[in-house]
Amino acid sequence: MSRRLGWIGAALVLFAVVLWLFNRPQAAYGMTSYDGDGVRVQVADATEEAQAMERTAFVVTLADGDGKPLSGAALRIVLSMPHMFCGEYEATVTETAPGVYRAEGVPTMRGRWQAKLTLEDNGRKIAVVHDFKVV
């Protein structure tokens, strides 16, 4: 009988640990980099922890292949949840310094999100996906 209670107790502890791991708040993923086609792109979280229905910000740094800032770029960022049908939300993008952009958008619910950056430059179209989590 006590052996059976020991196994049940161990199973409950394991279940509690797994539940805690999957439901604890997590910070956003951080940064995504792309270097190709003569363009360097870096997307970084500017908000410490993305919250549902609150403004979330990203800093985007653009440079050419030589590292010179790309100013005045045709840049678009759309927030969405992969594998969900909750819509796409366009972020507002402003250039804060040569080659440095700030994007702000509002994710609508908790879960895994992505910020898809699309850059059109000299006839090229480059897409970079930055994953983040909303708590």
Side-chain angles (χ1 to χ4, degrees):
M1 179 74 165
S2 66
R3 189 173 187 162
R4 178 185 263 174
L5 287 176
W7 280 107
I8 291 172
L12 287 173
V13 168
L14 180 62
F15 177 73
V17 168
V18 169
L19 192 62
W20 176 78
L21 285 173
F22 282 103
N23 289 312
R24 68 188 169 128
Q26 296 178 6
Y29 294 124
M31 188 181 337
T32 302
S33 296
Y34 171 83
D35 190 352
D37 300 319
V39 177
R40 295 178 187 170
V41 179
Q42 186 178 61
V43 183
D45 297 333
T47 304
E48 185 175 324
E49 186 174 74
Q51 299 283 329
M53 298 305 295
E54 291 187 20
R55 191 162 297 282
T56 299
F58 307 93
V59 175
V60 179
T61 306
L62 301 177
D64 64 14
D66 296 326
K68 296 177 186 169
L70 286 177
S71 189
L75 184 62
R76 181 176 185 236
I77 296 180
V78 176
L79 306 181
S80 65
M81 290 186 82
H83 314 295
M84 296 285 285
F85 299 107
C86 66
E88 295 182 337
Y89 306 94
E90 185 105 19
T92 303
V93 180
T94 54
E95 188 168 10
T96 59
V100 180
Y101 301 81
R102 182 174 176 89
E104 293 183 349
V106 179
T108 56
M109 61 188 288
R110 293 177 58 186
R112 296 184 188 277
W113 281 75
Q114 65 181 19
K116 183 177 181 183
L117 175 146
T118 306
L119 170 67
E120 293 188 34
D121 180 55
N122 294 328
R124 296 175 293 192
K125 189 172 185 178
I126 297 166
V128 177
V129 175
H130 173 72
D131 295 319
F132 66 102
K133 185 170 180 118
V134 176
V135 295

